[in-house]
Amino acid sequence: MNQHSPYSRVGYCSICEATTKFAAQYDWYRDHLRCSQCGSIPRERALALVLTRHFPHWRTLAIHEPSPSIGGISPKLKRDCAGYVASQYFPGRLLGKQIAGYRNENLELQTFPDESFDLVVTLDVMEHVNQPAEVLREIARTLKPGGVYLFTVPTYKERATSERRALYRPDGSVEHYGEPEYHGDPVSDANSLVTFHYGYDLAELIHKWSGMDVEVVRFHDHGRGIIGDFTEVYLATKPFGMASQGEGETATLNADDGWPAEVHAMCVNASHPHGVLPDVHKEDLSFRFVYDHPGFPTKDEAIGYYFNDGARSAAKVRKIIDEWTGGVELLTILEFAAGYGAVTRHATAALAPHTLHSSDVHANDFLTNVLGVRSVPSTDVPEELSLPTEYDVVFALSFFSHMPRSTWGRWLQRLYAGLQPGGIFLFTTHGTTSMQYFPQATLDGTGYWFDQSVGHGGPDATRYGQTITSKEFVDTNIALLPGAEYLAYEPAGWWEHQDLYVIRKPSTAARVGNRVKPAGE
């Protein structure tokens, strides 16, 4: 960094709204090219310029600014806008209350009513949030139709895709995926951890996560003192047709409507401790099964179970993967038959920094556009399944517990074929312990039973029902897989009644035979 004064120029400051002098004592203009009157830096002036150009009457609008700065444009917004609300997040304190001059708000779970603001403004906040998709959806919810989220965030010119740098886990610990990086915090002596480095895909990610339309304004303007790195300003606009959930909904659940507001509120409460999205698709049969189950005294407890169980399953998958892969390499993982993301919403974080793809016949739009995971379209015919790559790990929870005999073994072979050499495959089945829930079940001579009349209500019951298989039946089918090596078998190892199997594909291309290696050999 050059310690002499590398730059000085007279120009117009969009925050002072007056002629001024811009000067930098160091050549990192982003933080050091200051206005001699207000002390602002380039990104603050860039946002102020876009604000006045696009919203000349901004002083009459309702504006929310999370994590405002001590200087720059924040004092001006507070001073000149009667509808201005500033918020900070004080963990462990009551949300929605005033603390130290700020409203206490968690950006991932805000207490503002729907359609509260014309504008939401942030300066270099999004690179510090833990779950940007949740933040953007909450911002979209609190914006009025046509409202805009106006913000700056460092965008790395050399990055085509964004990269997570750190993850806050539900227990408060942090998992780092690169050298830790910190920026200053306006309300704390402790600096703020950088969780993301955003690339040029950010505009597309914003649209995917929130449904908002995005415009990016870039600057190199000496006359206004807006030069240097990371001066982009983003405008994310909430479409007029993107209305928030209406009033007057009832608590009646049916397959044609979305969940009512009170159910969504319970999902928000249940999802929050896990740091995952609360959104549940109206056709999520796993959720509906739990929600309607008579074994739960209250709907709150049923919904809590849905989120807690998804978290437990994701954590258990991670534990098994670490056990049999060493937990070191970056892996590519396929979750097959993901449904509408009961496990996926937790697995995206639980399996990080590994790459997760999720596959389903019907739920791919929800998996990609809401949960933000790459989805792989599935099919009813095993041999027609097209995978984009060979995977290091494939896992299928409660899939083989619903397959008819005509496709059971074929699916086992197709998913096994989708593994890299040395890859592992873990799956669960309804084993003999599960028969307690199906008193009508009688295994045939091969150890198999199927009843299409007691499925989850899938679109074609002939392809989906309830299946029970003995270990002997499963072993017979595993023995047909080239070189399959048994790694683990745990009777009633999942949900206390489904059997767990873990097998491995040989690491060499040569066929090593069909012998099944018993667990523990």
Side-chain angles (χ1 to χ4, degrees), residues 105-178:
E105 290 291 341
N106 178 354
L107 289 185
E108 297 175 8
L109 188 67
Q110 299 179 42
T111 65
F112 295 110
D114 294 353
E115 301 179 6
S116 293
F117 301 106
D118 301 292
L119 286 175
V120 175
V121 176
T122 64
L123 277 154
D124 284 18
V125 170
M126 286 299 296
E127 71 269 31
H128 301 293
V129 302
N130 197 41
Q131 299 293 348
E134 278 194 59
V135 172
L136 286 159
R137 287 175 61 81
E138 275 291 89
I139 288 173
R141 179 186 67 78
T142 62
L143 282 171
K144 300 174 184 178
V148 173
Y149 175 33
L150 179 68
F151 67 101
T152 66
V153 66
T155 307
Y156 290 81
K157 294 180 176 63
E158 70 277 11
R159 294 204 61 86
T161 58
S162 300
E163 173 191 51
R164 181 182 279 279
R165 302 286 296 174
L167 173 73
Y168 289 98
R169 294 200 172 279
D171 63 2
S173 63
V174 179
E175 185 166 350
H176 295 281
Y177 308 126

Side-chain angles (χ1 to χ4, degrees), residues 209 277 279 340-342 344-345 348 366-373:
W209 289 335
L277 286 171
D279 304 80
Y340 285 94
T344 313
R345 69 184 71 235
T348 52
F366 184 82
L367 292 169
T368 295
N369 297 328
V370 177
L371 299 186
V373 65

Side-chain angles (χ1 to χ4, degrees), residues 136-137 140 205-214 237-239 242 369:
L136 286 159
R137 287 175 61 81
L205 290 174
I206 294 167
H207 178 71
K208 181 177 76 173
W209 289 335
S210 69
M212 292 189 286
D213 297 322
V214 186
T237 302
K238 179 176 181 176
M242 185 180 165
N369 297 328

Side-chain angles (χ1 to χ4, degrees), residues 6 25 30 77 92 104 106 109 131 158 222 244 306 365 469 506:
Q25 296 300 313
R30 166 178 163 78
L77 292 172
N104 186 24
N106 178 354
L109 188 67
Q131 299 293 348
E158 70 277 11
H222 288 270
S244 300
Y306 172 86
D365 285 346
T469 51

